[in-house]
Amino acid sequence: MANKPLKKLLLAPGPTPVSPLALQAMSLPIIHHRSADFKPVLQSVRDGLKWLFQTKNEVIVLTSTGTGGMVSAVNNFFNSGDKVIVIDGGKFGERWTEICQSYGLNADVIKVEWGYTIKIEEVEKRLKADPNIKGVLVQATETSTGVNHDVEKLAKLIKNYENTLFIVDAVSSLVAHDLKTDEWGVDIMVSGSQKGLALPPGLAFIAVSEKAWKKAETSKLPHFYFNLKAELKNIKENQTNFTSPVSLLIGLNEAIKQLKEEGLENVFKRHERLANATRAGIVAMGLKLYAKEMPSNSVTAICAPDGIDGQEIYKILRDKYGITTAGGQGKAKGKIFRIAHLGYADTFDIISGLAAIEMTLKGLGHPITLGKGIAAAEEILMK
Ligand SMILES: *Cc1c(COP(=O)(O)O)cnc(C)c1O
């Protein structure tokens, strides 16, 4: 057994590494959130979030994790008893259902086999049958399986239904994927700070369409803290309802600045390139991808070889090689492990991750030729 690793590398689908410039920005002394110093920060964050979410509407910022953003997307726009469709293809789809049920919504759950994507016809059939459906909730990337759902196609379908809001959990997808909120007609797009934006955990973002704000007028569910109408009123004055997470917002400002310098198209291309290289490397090692269709550019879920526990691979990667990936969640626990290529991620993060996977598998006695996976990835990363 090698010594304890000196260097650590975070390749989990959240939290993800934070860039040195964002870390530096966040280390500055705290300024007061009701002061003149702070307002330009929030003004710049607002402009930046609209750019990133590809919307002309205000993007609300909450001090919470991504799940808080998901909760606010339910308890500000619906009423108890409202019927909604939940697309559930994994752990985070299950979370939508749990949140909806906790507020008394009537969730019609479409179960999608783990590793697969939603068939749009399934949603269309239900919408046609019941014009009273108030919302459709989905993940852009279902992080637990590494599969994307087709947000564009769903948005274009749901846009035709006047009474139905389309709500997308893009917590792990924003930045890695081109999500055209306004152009496609997504009503509510939720994200968080600790994934594609490469910041510490602690912020949730919610882009809200005009159609959704109208619906908010009639929602009677309790929302003392996650009160999006109150937040909207405040953010227009470059304020938040309660104490602003000043350091995180300063970090966010820096993170957005860096993304702007890179250019949105290039950001998406970088994620695509890293994801393609990761998948090619894994397949070249003789392993199977867990995603059977529409694999995400944020995270790759990998099937553990027969006879090897996925959690064991995850633990050796972490404890022996200093690389933190993620194991499987829910019913995929033990069967898979997951490696992210998300946020502040580049070529040699992928090389390191794949090399460590090869070394781990060889160490576990799996027949593997060292270097095969890396070579396949290198071919793609050179382009
Ligand atoms: C990470 C994640 C969330 C939010 O998780 P938090 O721990 O609350 O930040 C929600 N949805 C998806 C798809 C995610 O990957």
Side-chain angles (χ1 to χ4, degrees):
M1 177 95 179
N3 289 331
K4 232 177 122 202
L6 178 66
K7 290 194 179 179
K8 289 186 178 171
L9 179 60
L10 191 52
L11 295 178
T16 61
V18 181
S19 83
L21 285 175
L23 284 173
Q24 191 183 36
M26 286 184 293
S27 70
L28 293 171
I30 298 287
I31 54 175
H32 196 279
H33 60 292
R34 305 292 181 209
S35 73
D37 292 348
F38 177 69
K39 290 191 174 187
V41 174
L42 196 48
Q43 177 64 58
S44 168
V45 161
R46 287 169 63 199
D47 295 342
L49 286 175
K50 285 178 189 168
W51 169 78
L52 190 59
F53 276 77
Q54 306 189 49
T55 178
K56 63 174 181 23
N57 296 309
E58 208 66 56
V59 181
I60 303 296
V61 180
L62 294 174
T63 310
S64 83
T65 70
T67 305
M70 294 171 76
V71 168
S72 78
V74 171
N75 72 359
N76 281 266
F77 301 97
F78 297 103
N79 284 298
S80 153
D82 278 357
K83 186 169 170 189
V84 295
I85 293 172
V86 176
I87 296 166
D88 168 5
K91 196 69 196 159
F92 291 96
E94 285 172 10
R95 190 168 299 176
W96 270 140
T97 305
E98 285 165 7
I99 294 169
C100 288
Q101 288 173 346
S102 75
Y103 285 96
L105 273 61
N106 172 7
D108 179 7
V109 182
I110 307 180
K111 288 264 183 199
V112 180
E113 193 182 337
W114 287 36
Y116 292 84
T117 191
I118 181 74
K119 291 191 179 66
I120 310 291
E121 311 83 72
E122 293 277 321
V123 181
E124 188 169 18
K125 205 168 64 191
R126 282 172 164 79
L127 285 170
K128 273 188 178 154
D130 186 354
N132 213 18
I133 287 168
K134 297 282 166 44
V136 178
L137 298 94
V138 75
Q139 270 64 42
T141 292
E142 173 50 76
T143 318
S144 62
T145 63
V147 173
N148 279 358
H149 294 300
D150 196 329
V151 173
E152 180 176 7
K153 282 207 179 117
L154 287 166
K156 287 179 174 165
L157 166 70
I158 298 160
K159 206 153 77 169
N160 302 318
Y161 293 83
E162 232 174 279
N163 296 321
T164 313
L165 295 181
F166 182 37
I167 302 182
V168 178
D169 164 4
V171 176
S172 63
S173 183
L174 190 82
V175 178
H177 293 95
D178 190 3
L179 298 167
K180 300 188 190 301
T181 307
D182 284 4
E183 190 182 317
W184 295 346
V186 175
D187 291 301
I188 300 174
M189 181 91 80
V190 179
S191 199
S193 52
Q194 82 276 28
K195 309 226 169 153
L197 272 160
L199 290 167
L203 297 177
F205 313 108
I206 307 102
V208 182
S209 72
E210 275 170 39
K211 181 176 167 186
W213 281 123
K214 278 199 196 100
K215 288 278 298 241
E217 297 296 330
T218 59
S219 169
K220 291 186 187 65
L221 292 172
H223 44 250
F224 180 81
Y225 183 69
F226 295 140
N227 184 337
L228 295 187
K229 270 196 280 177
E231 294 295 350
L232 177 67
K233 194 163 158 265
N234 273 279
I235 204 169
K236 286 183 171 165
E237 307 288 327
N238 294 325
Q239 293 281 283
T240 57
N241 206 7
F242 305 106
T243 308
S244 309
V246 174
S247 302
L248 284 171
L249 291 170
I250 289 172
L252 174 58
N253 214 4
E254 179 59 40
I256 293 173
K257 190 174 143 210
Q258 285 174 242
L259 291 173
K260 279 193 170 164
E261 279 164 14
E262 188 178 357
L264 211 42
E265 278 309 312
N266 293 332
V267 171
F268 300 144
K269 275 193 206 137
R270 169 166 56 86
H271 284 89
E272 191 183 354
R273 184 174 135 266
L274 299 180
N276 278 337
T278 303
R279 294 193 282 260
I282 292 301
V283 171
M285 284 178 212
L287 301 185
K288 286 200 181 72
L289 302 172
Y290 189 64
K292 299 293 179 294
E293 43 193 22
M294 285 193 77
S296 165
N297 289 342
S298 311
V299 56
T300 296
I302 303 151
C303 299
D306 285 343
I308 298 181
D309 181 358
Q311 289 303 106
E312 188 64 20
I313 297 171
Y314 156 75
K315 279 183 197 151
I316 294 172
L317 285 169
R318 184 191 60 192
D319 299 337
K320 184 167 180 181
Y321 296 112
I323 296 187
T324 300
T325 57
Q329 294 172 285
K331 66 181 169 201
K333 191 163 186 172
K335 295 192 183 135
I336 65 170
F337 62 104
R338 296 170 297 146
I339 184 165
H341 20 77
L342 179 59
Y344 187 63
D346 210 343
T347 305
F348 291 94
D349 297 315
I350 303 308
I351 295 295
S352 301
L354 290 173
I357 292 170
E358 289 185 342
M359 289 154 81
T360 298
L361 290 172
K362 177 142 187 156
L364 283 166
H366 186 65
I368 193 164
T369 312
L370 291 179
K372 236 179 152 180
I374 306 173
E378 281 172 338
E379 293 289 347
I380 290 174
L381 292 167
M382 280 169 69
K383 283 175 198 146

